[in-house]
Amino acid sequence: MSSREDTLALWRQQEQEVRARLAPAGVSTLDDLKAGSGMEFLQRIWDGLLPSVPIGETLDFVPVEGEPGRIVFQGTPDKRHYNPLGSVHGGYFCTLLDSAVGCAVHSMLPKGMGYTTLELKVNLVRALTDKSGPVRAEGRVIQVGKQVGIAEGRIVDVDGRLYAHATTTCLVFALP
């Protein structure tokens, strides 16, 4: 088997395993959010102990890897995600990247803290189509302080081709 085929098989296996664990989509409570660190909250979603995220269901993407400061989402774009020009809408790119970079920041937050995106800057490098296959959006923290979190992200396919990259600035705050 080629390296590409190995990577594709691994990506599909990881996605299948994650999908088997996820709970139905819904919105967690503020108490759920405040019960642990940002990473603990995300892990409870990924373990199926809290509802999965509605936007992931809407656009059909899931978290496939995660550790403090680094989060990866995977999705396979198809014609449901197309714009009128015959390629995947830019909103798909932006949503995947916002999820990856925002969750990367969230994964670094201590118990009792939350965040919101202040700015998201996305550069689209090449078009996605229904023939692109699975893609991954990887978010990595650059720095998280008491009030501001900064992260960067990239969307790549199984061959490592870059489709888009992004940076985010997030406001960090105490949860009410």
Side-chain angles (χ1 to χ4, degrees):
M1 213 187 297
S2 75
S3 175
R4 182 185 198 286
E5 291 169 343
D6 291 342
T7 301
L8 186 56
L10 174 65
W11 282 22
R12 287 188 172 143
Q13 177 187 349
Q14 287 176 316
E15 182 175 343
Q16 206 170 28
E17 290 170 0
V18 167
R19 287 185 185 279
R21 286 192 312 267
L22 291 176
V27 179
S28 297
T29 68
L30 185 57
D31 287 340
D32 290 332
L33 185 57
K34 292 177 6 179
S37 70
M39 190 69 223
E40 291 166 342
F41 174 74
L42 293 171
Q43 191 64 56
R44 287 196 313 274
I45 293 171
W46 302 337
D47 290 342
L49 301 173
L50 293 174
S52 63
V53 182
I55 192 65
E57 180 180 62
T58 300
L59 293 182
D60 196 25
F61 66 88
V62 296
V64 290
E65 295 179 11
E67 60 190 288
R70 180 182 166 272
I71 306 295
V72 181
F73 286 90
Q74 180 173 307
T76 303
D78 62 37
K79 291 193 176 181
R80 291 176 298 162
H81 307 119
Y82 271 33
N83 60 34
L85 304 176
S87 62
V88 173
H89 190 280
Y92 184 86
F93 293 80
C94 292
T95 302
L96 272 175
L97 285 164
D98 187 42
S99 297
V101 296
C103 286
V105 168
H106 193 168
S107 73
M108 299 295 291
L109 298 182
K111 182 176 179 177
M113 298 300 286
Y115 81 98
T116 191
T117 301
L118 289 175
E119 177 186 49
L120 178 67
K121 165 78 169 81
V122 178
N123 290 325
L124 307 181
V125 176
R126 68 171 38 97
L128 283 169
T129 70
D130 62 330
K131 295 176 181 39
S132 299
V135 293
R136 288 192 169 185
E138 178 179 357
R140 288 186 177 270
V141 162
I142 295 171
Q143 196 273 334
V144 176
K146 291 181 180 183
Q147 294 183 321
V148 175
I150 302 168
E152 60 189 357
R154 301 165 39 95
I155 294 177
V156 298
D157 66 13
V158 295
D159 297 312
R161 281 187 298 252
L162 180 68
Y163 286 82
H165 59 95
T167 56
T168 191
T169 303
C170 297
L171 175 66
V172 175
F173 56 86
L175 295 168

